[in-house]
Amino acid sequence: MKNLSVVTQFLLLGIPHTEGMETMLFVLFLSFYIFMLVGNLLILLAIISSTRLHTPMYFFLCELSMCDIFFPSVSSPKMLFYLSGNSRAISYAGCVCQLFFYHFLGGTECFLYTVMAYDRFVAICYPLRYSVIISHRVCAILAMGTSVLGCIHSTFLTTLTFQLPYCGPKEVDYYFCDIPVVMKLACADTSSLELVGFISVGLMPLSCFFIILTSYGCILRSILQIRSTEGRHRAFSTCSAHLAAILLFYMPVIFIYLRPTPKPWLDATVQVLNNLVTPMLNPLIYSLRNKEVKSSLWTILRPLCFLPDKL
């Protein structure tokens, strides 16, 4: 198909029905973004600085924290830029990059949650074989695999979206370039491509979610067989944090991309939660329920705050 595109830039209209609320939204979203950055950087610092945390579970948590830093950074800086009164225009190439990296990092995080569920499954169901099954080499392969699969998935979706001709209008009725809102601007019939995109975006997270639920079904069965009350509590504590983070990530994705009739205002609200609030809450989820991470954070922060040795 010959590319008939004459659009050189798009105009981001922002979150629907929020006209006149730009200053309030700027302050709110900037606060979320700063808390997200600080929280995830502290998690990274806590894990890197403590040799006790140099294990597969925390290796994957490090990768999750990096995803949680970069994922909101795809759309939030531009959103904050125009909320502060600057131009809402984004170049055609900028829109392509925004869509690609959004789905690349989102896909990587989706696969990473699946890997983390598998890691917990092996740790709890096969504890004596854990170090053999989840070796350092396997960790590296799994971590690299999440990024490779995320890249393949995003390349397919980006190519699918921008092979279409765009010759006007150029107003994107959203706060960043995403597949449903950009495809609506194409000067061609998009019904078949929308169906392919719907299946692709929906099938991947649903497949991962099914694998995660299966893993946690096996984990729950193994936990209930643990005789020690302390052992059951420790296993539940570790897994409940991961399960809470999974639900916070997957519910908005399923809500936004698997509904046949999208509602821009509602979708935008849910997507802000997914883009900013979930990455901001993840450090709290993983640190508040984890003694090792809290201990490492305390060791780092205590000298800075001139606090005594014990809590």
Side-chain angles (χ1 to χ4, degrees):
M1 181 185 292
K2 185 179 178 182
N3 185 12
L4 302 174
S5 174
V6 294
V7 171
T8 58
Q9 66 176 16
F10 294 99
L11 195 66
L12 300 172
L13 299 183
I15 301 173
H17 311 303
T18 57
E19 294 80 5
M21 301 171 62
E22 287 81 5
T23 303
M24 183 187 73
L25 291 176
F26 174 78
V27 173
L28 181 65
F29 294 155
L30 180 62
S31 302
F32 285 164
Y33 189 66
I34 291 172
F35 281 126
M36 178 277 300
L37 286 175
V38 172
N40 283 289
L41 286 171
L42 283 174
I43 290 290
L44 282 171
L45 187 60
I47 294 172
I48 292 169
S49 63
S50 175
T51 54
R52 291 181 305 162
L53 302 182
H54 293 177
T55 62
M57 184 178 81
Y58 295 107
F59 174 77
F60 295 130
L61 183 55
C62 260
E63 188 181 2
L64 179 64
S65 290
M66 286 190 287
C67 284
D68 279 343
I69 289 172
F70 291 117
F71 183 56
S73 299
V74 172
S75 58
S76 298
K78 180 62 181 177
M79 177 178 65
L80 293 170
F81 182 75
Y82 67 69
L83 283 176
S84 62
N86 294 289
S87 172
R88 293 175 177 264
I90 183 171
S91 67
Y92 184 91
C95 192
V96 173
C97 289
Q98 199 174 59
L99 191 147
F100 172 80
F101 283 107
Y102 180 81
H103 286 279
F104 165 55
L105 292 163
T108 299
E109 194 160 339
C110 187
F111 292 121
L112 181 59
Y113 278 120
T114 310
V115 167
M116 292 174 76
Y118 173 69
D119 172 71
R120 291 299 85 207
F121 164 73
V122 176
I124 292 172
C125 298
Y126 303 98
L128 299 179
R129 298 173 57 195
Y130 177 73
S131 59
V132 176
I133 298 173
I134 309 292
S135 62
H136 292 300
R137 181 172 174 272
V138 171
C139 275
I141 291 171
L142 289 173
M144 190 178 297
T146 59
S147 297
V148 171
L149 290 173
C151 184
I152 293 170
H153 178 70
S154 181
T155 300
F156 170 73
L157 292 175
T158 306
T159 304
L160 186 74
T161 304
F162 287 99
Q163 70 169 337
L164 296 166
Y166 292 92
C167 45
K170 60 182 182 179
E171 289 80 15
V172 177
D173 192 19
Y174 216 47
Y175 69 96
F176 76 102
C177 292
D178 199 10
I179 295 169
V181 288
V182 171
M183 263 193 183
K184 286 197 301 185
L185 305 179
C187 306
D189 179 26
T190 62
S191 54
S192 59
L193 293 177
E194 283 176 1
L195 179 61
V196 174
F198 176 80
I199 294 170
S200 177
V201 175
L203 187 61
M204 186 270 288
L206 273 182
S207 301
C208 292
F209 194 53
F210 176 75
I211 294 170
I212 290 169
L213 289 180
T214 303
S215 297
Y216 271 95
C218 297
I219 288 170
L220 181 61
R221 187 178 62 184
S222 294
I223 289 175
L224 293 176
Q225 292 174 353
I226 298 174
R227 294 182 180 181
S228 165
T229 304
E230 184 181 348
R232 280 200 303 269
H233 176 75
R234 182 181 176 85
F236 268 122
S237 180
T238 303
C239 293
S240 61
H242 182 216
L243 202 53
I246 286 169
L247 292 174
L248 281 172
F249 177 80
Y250 277 97
M251 290 303 102
V253 172
I254 293 170
F255 180 84
I256 293 166
Y257 293 107
L258 293 182
R259 286 187 304 120
T261 53
K263 296 180 179 179
W265 182 84
L266 188 59
D267 288 352
T269 305
V270 173
Q271 200 139 31
V272 166
L273 293 175
N274 191 40
N275 289 7
L276 278 172
V277 179
T278 300
M280 181 186 71
L281 291 177
N282 275 348
L284 291 175
I285 291 170
Y286 282 104
S287 61
L288 292 179
R289 299 297 301 272
N290 191 300
K291 291 181 180 179
E292 288 85 0
V293 174
K294 282 196 290 186
S295 175
S296 182
L297 281 173
W298 185 252
T299 303
I300 294 167
L301 296 176
R302 179 168 40 82
L304 300 176
C305 301
F306 304 102
L307 294 171
D309 289 347
K310 295 184 179 180
L311 288 168

